Amino acid sequence: MGRPQPKLRPSKTPLVKLRRLLQTSAFRELIAALAQAQSLPATVPSVAVLRADILRRLKSPEARQWYLAMRDRCVSADADHGLGLIAADTGELALAHRYLQQAAKARPSDANFRNDLGFVAMLLSNDKEAEFELRTAFELAPEDSRPGFNLMVL
């Protein structure tokens, strides 16, 4: 038997379907998402960021290069966010903080960016900034439990 597979609704565009696949954390779904992303034109910025997101979740060093290539495009906030997450994963918290600040500045209403910035600020013992960012993330997306949980940890 095995684990039940997530049920994905059919989507109108391959990009939407890929984003849904990326939201699952199982390795085989990520591999399937990467294969599908590779069939789409990599010159489209949103496809390139999606590919970088998948590679990052797979812990591939290629992700960093994809994000760096997107920093001067219309998806620079997503690229900075991804670079911040990679830096945080490798323990480079000061670098992660800088990238995540840039991402949040470029897209201040993105709750994920604000939550991740708040979490890294918390790891850096910058409690005042962490509280502000986490409260902002919570207000932007009250249905997301992560900012509230992170505030409780703070």
Side-chain angles (χ1 to χ4, degrees):
M1 282 216 261
R3 225 175 76 195
Q5 298 297 312
K7 294 183 180 173
L8 299 174
R9 289 183 272 157
S11 65
K12 295 180 182 175
T13 67
L15 205 53
V16 172
K17 183 177 180 182
L18 281 173
R19 284 193 179 112
R20 286 191 186 130
L21 272 176
L22 185 56
Q23 290 172 353
T24 66
S25 61
F27 182 76
R28 68 177 160 257
E29 281 89 4
L30 289 172
I31 295 297
L34 180 59
Q36 288 182 19
Q38 288 172 333
S39 71
L40 298 173
T43 56
V44 175
S46 57
V47 172
V49 167
L50 182 63
R51 186 181 290 195
D53 288 343
I54 296 167
L55 290 168
R56 177 184 50 79
R57 302 243 339 248
L58 289 169
K59 306 289 186 206
S60 170
E62 279 183 70
R64 187 173 194 283
Q65 290 132 2
W66 280 92
Y67 285 130
L68 286 171
M70 293 293 108
R71 288 196 77 211
D72 64 345
R73 306 286 303 270
C74 61
V75 291
S76 62
D78 296 296
D80 285 334
H81 182 246
L83 288 165
L85 295 177
I86 289 171
D89 283 347
T90 59
E92 299 174 88
L93 296 180
L95 180 61
H97 188 255
R98 283 193 302 274
Y99 278 128
L100 292 171
Q101 280 182 318
Q102 290 171 354
K105 183 178 180 183
R107 198 179 306 148
S109 61
D110 190 306
N112 287 326
F113 291 6
R114 304 301 285 267
N115 178 69
D116 293 341
L117 175 57
F119 187 79
V120 168
M122 181 173 59
L123 293 175
L124 290 169
S125 299
N126 188 344
D127 294 346
K128 187 174 181 178
E129 179 188 8
E131 181 179 3
F132 175 78
E133 295 298 338
L134 294 171
R135 284 186 185 279
T136 302
F138 185 76
E139 290 172 9
L140 289 169
E143 71 284 351
D144 186 351
S145 62
R146 295 173 308 144
F149 179 79
N150 290 335
L151 276 167
M152 288 189 307
V153 171
L154 181 64

